Amino acid sequence: MKIGNIELDPRTAALAPMAGVADRAFREICHDYGAGYVVSEMVSSKGLTMCDRKSKSLLLLSEKERPAAAQIFGSDPKIMAESALECMKFSPDAIDINMGCPAPKIAGNGGGSALLKDPELASKIMAEVRRAVDIPVTVKIRLGWDSESINCVEMAKRAEAAGMDAITVHGRTRMQMYAPPVDRSMIAEVKKAVSIPVIGNGDITDGITAAQMLEQTGCDYVMVGRGALGRPWVFSQISAYLHDERVLPEPPVSERMRVMVKHIKLICEYKGERVGIKEARKHAAWYIKGIKGAAAYRQQVGTLESIEQLEELAYKIMIENMNT
C-alpha cells in the first residue's frame, strides 16, 4: 500500500492524530508495538504561521516513529498552505489535513469537520496545500456533518481531484461525535468512488475489528484512535491477526504496568516532569482500565506528583494483581 512515495505494509495499522494524546512519546511507544504509520496531534495553521512555540513543539518528529505525518487544521487556504511549508522544517513524511475533528472549539471556528459543510472551501484548501509542498498530502474526514448531509463520497472525489495522495474516513458524522454505530458501508462507497488509497477509521480495537473494516469496506489500510488508549500493544494484535489470524491476548498486568511507566517516563523526558506527570494521570487511568481494583487505583492516579510515586503505584498494582 502506497501513500505517494511512502510504502506501508497493509497488515499493519496507523495511529490516529488524537489531540492531547498522540504526542511524540505515545507515537514512539505505538511504533515499538508495530504501528506502521503515525500522525501528529493536529496543529493550528494560524499558530504555525504566527510562530507560536506550542504549535511548533507538536511537530517534533523523531526517527524512532517514521513514517510520520504532520496534521494541520484551519479554514483559510493560504494560511493552510503557509503552515504546510512551516511543517517542512520538521521533515514530516507527509502532510495531513484535518477535516474531521468534531470538537466545538475547532469546528465552531470553521476548521475540522465544519469544512464538510463547505466542500468548495475544502477543495481550495486541499489544492493550496498540495501546491505548497512536494511530499504526500492526505486528508481525514467524517461521513458528513450530520445524518441529513452525508457527503463523504463527494468529499473523497474532491480530494482526489485536488491531488490528495490518500483519504482517511472516520465512519461517523460530526454530530455523532464518538457515539455508535460506525457506518462501514459508507466507507465502502468512498472506496468504490476513488482510485486513491482509502484508510478506514472508527471502533478498531483489535485484530478482528481491523479485519472486519478491511473486508467490509475494501479499504486499503486501517487507522486506530481510541482503541489504542492505554493499549499501544493493539498494533501487535492487529498485525498478528492480519498476518495469520493469530489472536494475541491482552498482556498481563505486569507488562501493562511496565509499558505505562516507560511511556510516562518518555513524556517526562520530552516535556519535563512537571508537565509530564500531569499528563500521566490520564494515561495511567487508561492503562489500569479493567484491572481489578481500578476504581481505587484511579483515585491514586489523580494525585500523582512524581515519577517515583508512579513507579510505587505501578509496583503496588503488579503485586496486588500478580496472577492476572
Side-chain angles (χ1 to χ4, degrees):
M1 203 286 258
K2 296 186 71 174
I3 299 176
N5 61 351
I6 302 170
E7 292 191 15
L8 302 176
D9 182 344
R11 296 167 296 183
T12 62
L15 173 66
M18 294 176 285
V21 177
D23 60 6
R24 177 182 174 185
F26 192 53
R27 296 193 304 266
E28 288 183 1
I29 291 286
C30 290
H31 187 276
D32 287 346
Y33 272 102
Y37 184 58
V38 300
V39 187
S40 77
E41 299 174 78
M42 61 180 180
V43 181
S44 166
S45 57
K46 287 185 178 179
L48 274 180
T49 55
M50 295 174 67
C51 298
D52 176 63
R53 185 179 300 175
K54 182 178 179 182
S55 295
K56 290 192 173 185
S57 69
L58 297 176
L59 289 173
L60 293 174
L61 301 172
S62 71
E63 293 307 309
K64 298 177 183 179
E65 57 183 294
R66 295 183 183 276
Q71 190 188 69
I72 54 177
F73 74 89
S75 58
D76 184 297
K78 292 191 180 302
I79 292 177
M80 287 286 281
E82 290 172 12
S83 68
L85 282 172
E86 284 294 315
C87 287
M88 295 301 291
K89 296 176 182 178
F90 299 87
S91 302
D93 297 294
I95 301 290
D96 188 58
I97 303 172
N98 185 316
M99 294 190 180
C101 179
K105 70 176 183 179
I106 304 298
N109 287 311
S113 56
L115 290 166
L116 299 173
K117 297 191 292 184
D118 193 343
E120 287 292 336
L121 176 58
S123 288
K124 290 177 182 177
I125 288 172
M126 290 186 284
E128 287 287 340
V129 173
R130 174 67 283 169
R131 281 193 287 268
V133 297
D134 59 3
I135 61 174
V137 179
T138 62
V139 62
K140 189 170 189 288
I141 67 169
R142 285 184 168 234
L143 301 184
W145 180 258
D146 56 30
S147 60
E148 303 302 314
S149 56
I150 302 292
N151 64 344
C152 52
V153 171
E154 176 194 354
M155 292 293 292
K157 289 179 178 178
R158 286 176 174 272
E160 185 170 38
M164 298 295 97
D165 292 281
I167 181 168
T168 300
V169 185
H170 183 116
R172 293 183 173 92
T173 65
R174 186 273 173 183
M175 295 305 289
Q176 275 184 272
M177 300 294 282
Y178 297 100
V182 166
D183 189 343
R184 293 177 180 149
S185 68
M186 288 309 304
I187 300 177
E189 291 301 313
V190 169
K191 176 57 186 172
K192 292 175 186 175
V194 296
S195 59
I196 58 175
V198 174
I199 301 170
N201 175 227
D203 284 3
I204 297 172
T205 58
D206 53 25
I208 293 174
T209 49
Q212 289 171 341
M213 176 66 80
L214 290 166
E215 292 166 5
Q216 294 174 17
T217 68
C219 67
D220 304 279
Y221 203 58
V222 295
M223 178 175 282
V224 183
R226 292 172 302 140
L229 299 180
R231 299 178 62 245
W233 47 82
V234 69
F235 294 99
S236 294
Q237 294 174 326
I238 290 171
S239 184
Y241 192 83
L242 295 183
H243 272 84
D244 51 25
E245 297 189 354
R246 281 183 298 128
V247 177
L248 297 184
E250 290 293 294
V253 172
S254 58
E255 174 69 3
R256 293 167 69 171
M257 293 302 95
R258 183 193 69 79
V259 177
M260 178 184 76
V261 171
K262 178 182 178 181
H263 179 182
I264 291 167
K265 281 185 173 180
L266 272 181
I267 297 175
C268 292
E269 178 184 338
Y270 296 149
K271 300 181 180 181
E273 187 168 350
R274 185 178 65 83
V275 173
I277 287 299
K278 284 185 178 180
E279 294 193 7
R281 296 167 185 167
K282 65 185 176 188
H283 285 286
W286 289 322
Y287 275 105
I288 64 176
K289 184 178 180 180
I291 293 177
K292 184 180 178 181
Y297 297 143
R298 273 196 297 273
Q299 291 183 337
Q300 297 173 63
V301 163
T303 63
L304 288 175
E305 297 289 346
S306 68
I307 291 177
E308 288 73 24
Q309 288 180 357
L310 172 75
E311 291 178 317
E312 289 172 6
L313 177 59
Y315 182 74
K316 176 183 177 182
I317 294 172
M318 288 167 59
I319 295 299
E320 294 179 356
N321 291 271
M322 193 169 290
N323 297 320
T324 59

